[in-house]
Amino acid sequence: MDTKVTQVQFKEGLFELSEESLRELQGSKYLNDDLRPTTSSERTWTTYNVGMLWVGMVICITGFSFAAALIAMGFSPLVALLNVLIGNLIVLIPMQLNSHAGTRYGIPFPVFSRITFGRVGSQVPSLVRAVVACGWCSIQCWVAGAAVSAIIGVFSSSWDTEGTGRFIGFGIFLVISLALAWKGSESIKWLEAIGSPVLLLTCLALVVWVITTGHANGITVGEMFFAPGNPEMVEENGGAVFLFMASITSNIAVWATLALNIPDFSRYAKSQKDQFWGQMLFMPTSVIFMAAIGAMYAHVTLVVDGVAQYDPTAVLGQLNNKVVVIVMSLCTLVATLTTNIAANTVAPANGFSNLAPNKISFRGGLLITAALCILYRPWWIYGSAGAFMFTFLGNCGTILGPVAAILVADYFFVKKKRVDIYALYEEGNDKYSYSNGWNWRAIVSWLVACLVTMPGTFGLGGSAFAWINANSYILGFVIAMCLYIVLMKSETKSQVSEEEFKAMTRNDF
């Protein structure tokens, strides 16, 4: 039987649905304008655009917190920075691998996950990713809410800046984030490209404040980095080795969300080279830049105030000049917006839209995101270094790591990068339906990996499970990947042979 031509290779290794196929798919319940593959004309992001996306996402208030929180728990600045770097280099691996499919086929994450989890089952990773993203969105809005409240406080001496005012600021910033995200991907591209360079200057201004404050209190820049840790505090948090490994898992988990839904952005890249180098050059360098500033800030506040601060919005309360407060607060808002919109609104909106593409649009998904942001109670999640790093981030890594592993295993080792794009959207096509829309092999692999690594979260199993939980992302990743590959050996319907792939593809380059 002749295979129908449904896709076009318009550039080496890059594919799009043919115009005829797009017309035929109109009205499909598996397709809406937000979930369709990008066309060749829409893939305009260069290495710079991808890089500035990362600069914009990383340069935010919480970006200062990761190394600073470790210092607050007893680590020295250098050890904290090393921990942050290792964690982010590790998570960059699945991120780069999952980016490939987005750039190659132009499909967003909810559609990408259909390949592996099935048409119905794809809602599981999409919703898990979406729910975690809502948590991050909530935290970012809470942090930026402090800046909103500080600005209002400049004009009202009776304003309760840290009390009721911060809750009001949280709500105002949430509305601002959703309003900007409402306009779609091009507004994100514009915001990142224009805002990111400005944010670098903002960070330098904070460095000047830290160095000036440190100098006024007899602290040199060298001491900010080479100061010793607090062994007693480290022991209170489980000991050096345990704390270091658990912190690596937490730092991996920071971007474990993007390691899943990175196709939402890589599908706009002009080439694999652009998406690869955009991430490789800008993601780790931006992360360590922010972590270094956070480490300096934490050490200075430790010496000056007796407590290592991990939330730099506390600086706003130490500034006496109203003009400076306004400027710094506005910079904080811009810094948080570039992260919150790109990283924490697009993914959940797409995920909720995937539940019912004909009924829930991207904008409808944004409204659901807003409701969950409020329910998360960020004032509790971001209330202490331990709750933030381990309770929130640690559990995120435990849940998301196996999902990333399964996606990587399926796309590269099982499907061998050959995907029938048309079948992902066509009603009645059962290539990716598996068992009534569910690939039970993917679900089982995910659940087993989570169950093995999660008991320590609830204090079950003693010290052995606590250590497993401390390394949950990496262990869960390996368990899920290996188990999935084994289970998929008996499944062949969803696989596309090289001959079939060539037959369904027209080369136009």
Side-chain angles (χ1 to χ4, degrees), residues 92-136:
L92 190 57
I93 297 172
M95 192 176 300
Q96 290 280 21
L97 294 174
N98 283 329
S99 294
H100 190 280
T103 303
R104 183 175 172 88
Y105 295 108
I107 53 178
F109 169 64
V111 177
F112 174 47
S113 61
R114 292 176 190 174
I115 302 169
T116 303
F117 284 81
R119 280 178 163 170
V120 180
S122 65
Q123 294 177 4
V124 173
S126 293
L127 286 176
V128 168
R129 168 63 181 95
V131 169
V132 171
C134 289
W136 271 113

Side-chain angles (χ1 to χ4, degrees), residues 242 246 249-250 253 380 386-400 449-473:
F242 177 86
T249 294
S250 296
W380 177 79
F388 176 55
M389 291 296 290
F390 299 140
T391 304
F392 179 68
L393 290 179
N395 288 332
C396 287
T398 301
I399 295 170
L400 297 176
C450 287
L451 290 173
V452 170
T453 56
M454 188 168 278
T457 300
F458 305 102
L460 302 176
S463 60
F465 274 102
W467 276 89
I468 291 174
N469 185 246
N471 299 278
S472 60
Y473 188 95

